[in-house]
Amino acid sequence: MKKLNFNTLIVSLLATLFGLIAGALLMLAIGSNPIEGYGYLLQGGLGIGLKGISRLGDTLAVSTPLILTGLSVAFAFRTGLFNIGAAGQMLFGGFCAVAVGLSFNFPQPIMIVMVVGAGILGGAVWGIIPGLLKAVFNVHEVVSTIMMNWIAYWVVYYAIPTFFKGEFLETESRQIPALSGLRIGALSDLFGGSVINLGLFFAIVSVILIAFILNRTVLGFELKAVGFNRHSAEYAGINVNRNIILSMMIAGGLAGLAGAAQYMGNATSMQIGIMPTQGFDGIAVALIGANTPIGAFLAALFFGILYTGKGFMNANTSIPPEIADTIIATIIYFAATSILIERAINWFKKKGKRGAKNE
């Protein structure tokens, strides 16, 4: 059972620290004050020192799809699969949620269940296809999921203007009705009118559920066994092909839920010609979170702060918002070279033990 152990936590924290240091050096290089820059970044992301907590609510809303796509990638990776198709699964799941939201008119509790279910189902279907190709024909999931990303892109590109065209623009759908969306007035008011919505609660439940499945169920044991060694798992009597398909289905469902949260909660309509970056950012979230549910949750919150705060930082200083993107890229780089950081930690530990013995 893989937990966020001490070494893993140290590696993630060091990768984050190195990214922040790199960002500070870039700020100095362009003649800006990094302390001031990071101060405004935190103000923009958390609302520190500002009236109201609307910015905190917006950060939680921005983090919601990142939590789910990061969880999707992490779950697949824990079962030995690299789900690089979270963007397509999120897009198609979001499209299914939007289609249901624009096609039916039931009381809001029923609509919430329907749009969330449609998002999960749409993403799961988009995940099953690469799973089947992997299980039956041994097609590498990286190739098939990338192709599925673009199939989803063009399906949505055609379907939105054809069936759900907006009143004024062909490049976006009709406005999401309030009764079909995930925004609740009381919740939004609690956070100063921010776009925070029920998607956050579905994301938290998903983190808890996936952690339980992976660490406390026979299914989770079998999925991880297939991920560790497919041939050994097959020798032990585990149905490898079934678990591969099931893993991609669950990963796709999580990404589809991210689409429902984004398009039915954070947005007011669905635009065409845009691949959701949260699907690709989910890979970074999973990487920083050490492919664990709680790690993905915390990493997504951190990325949400950077994404929400960078505009506020740019508005109050001469620091370009691309600095925040550079920080994220640097953090990913150090997380990707985590084996070197782990070796350095182990070297210092051994050196400390030798010093203690010599004394």
Side-chain angles (χ1 to χ4, degrees):
M1 180 174 65
K2 183 178 179 181
K3 295 181 179 180
L4 198 61
N5 58 40
F6 182 74
N7 269 9
T8 303
L9 179 62
I10 290 297
V11 169
S12 295
L13 290 176
L14 285 176
T16 303
L17 176 62
F18 292 153
L20 294 174
I21 291 173
L25 293 176
L26 285 172
M27 292 180 199
L28 288 172
I30 62 175
S32 297
N33 185 338
I35 297 177
E36 181 185 32
Y38 282 131
Y40 281 118
L41 187 69
L42 287 176
Q43 275 188 305
L46 299 175
I48 298 174
L50 301 176
K51 293 181 179 179
I53 56 172
S54 61
R55 286 192 172 273
L56 175 59
D58 289 341
T59 294
L60 292 174
V62 169
S63 301
T64 297
L66 291 173
I67 294 170
L68 290 163
T69 55
L71 194 61
S72 171
V73 175
F75 179 83
F77 193 82
R78 290 288 298 279
T79 59
L81 299 168
F82 190 18
N83 180 26
I84 207 169
Q89 294 152 12
M90 176 181 172
L91 184 62
F92 190 72
F95 167 71
C96 291
V98 168
V100 168
L102 293 176
S103 301
F104 298 94
N105 185 23
F106 296 112
Q108 189 170 26
I110 296 176
M111 290 303 302
I112 288 173
V113 173
M114 289 179 64
V115 298
V116 167
I120 294 173
L121 182 60
V125 168
W126 226 245
I128 283 178
I129 296 173
L132 283 168
L133 292 174
K134 174 75 173 182
V136 179
F137 302 106
N138 200 29
V139 176
H140 202 287
E141 67 275 10
V142 169
V143 176
S144 59
T145 51
I146 289 175
M147 294 300 101
M148 293 300 292
N149 282 344
W150 290 105
I151 293 173
Y153 177 91
W154 290 112
V155 166
V156 172
Y157 195 93
Y158 167 79
I160 289 295
T162 302
F163 302 108
F164 306 104
K165 184 176 69 174
E167 185 178 355
F168 302 106
L169 295 174
E170 292 189 0
T171 56
E172 66 180 29
S173 71
R174 300 194 301 272
Q175 294 290 302
I176 304 297
L179 290 178
S180 299
L182 297 180
R183 293 189 194 178
I184 302 295
L187 181 61
S188 181
D189 293 341
L190 183 64
F191 283 87
S194 74
V195 296
I196 190 172
N197 56 80
L198 291 178
L200 176 64
F201 295 97
F202 288 113
I204 293 172
V205 170
S206 298
V207 169
I208 296 171
L209 183 60
I210 293 301
F212 178 78
I213 290 174
L214 285 174
N215 300 324
R216 293 289 185 268
T217 66
V218 174
L219 173 62
F221 175 81
E222 290 185 352
L223 289 170
K224 289 187 292 184
V226 173
F228 284 131
N229 191 312
R230 177 176 178 174
H231 301 293
S232 296
E234 191 171 18
Y235 182 77
I238 296 174
N239 190 327
V240 172
N241 288 343
R242 185 201 69 180
N243 280 281
I244 288 174
I245 296 170
L246 188 58
S247 173
M248 287 302 297
M249 182 188 75
I250 294 173
L254 290 167
L257 179 56
Q262 174 64 23
Y263 298 109
M264 302 301 293
N266 293 356
T268 57
S269 64
M270 188 173 198
Q271 295 181 331
I272 65 172
I274 300 175
M275 186 76 79
T277 59
Q278 294 93 337
F280 301 110
D281 293 339
I283 299 173
V285 169
L287 191 62
I288 298 299
N291 295 305
T292 62
I294 185 63
F297 177 78
L298 296 174
L301 291 179
F302 175 70
F303 280 25
I305 292 171
L306 293 180
Y307 289 147
T308 308
K310 64 181 181 180
F312 188 79
M313 177 183 68
N314 177 243
N316 290 276
T317 67
S318 59
I319 302 172
E322 288 76 16
I323 290 288
D325 298 325
T326 305
I327 293 170
I328 292 172
T330 308
I331 291 172
I332 296 169
Y333 174 80
F334 282 112
T337 58
S338 59
I339 185 64
L340 300 178
I341 299 177
E342 287 182 4
R343 287 178 179 176
I345 292 172
N346 292 331
W347 183 81
F348 280 113
K349 283 183 177 179
K350 289 180 181 179
K351 186 177 179 180
K353 289 180 180 178
R354 289 172 185 171
K357 286 181 180 179
N358 293 333
E359 290 178 1

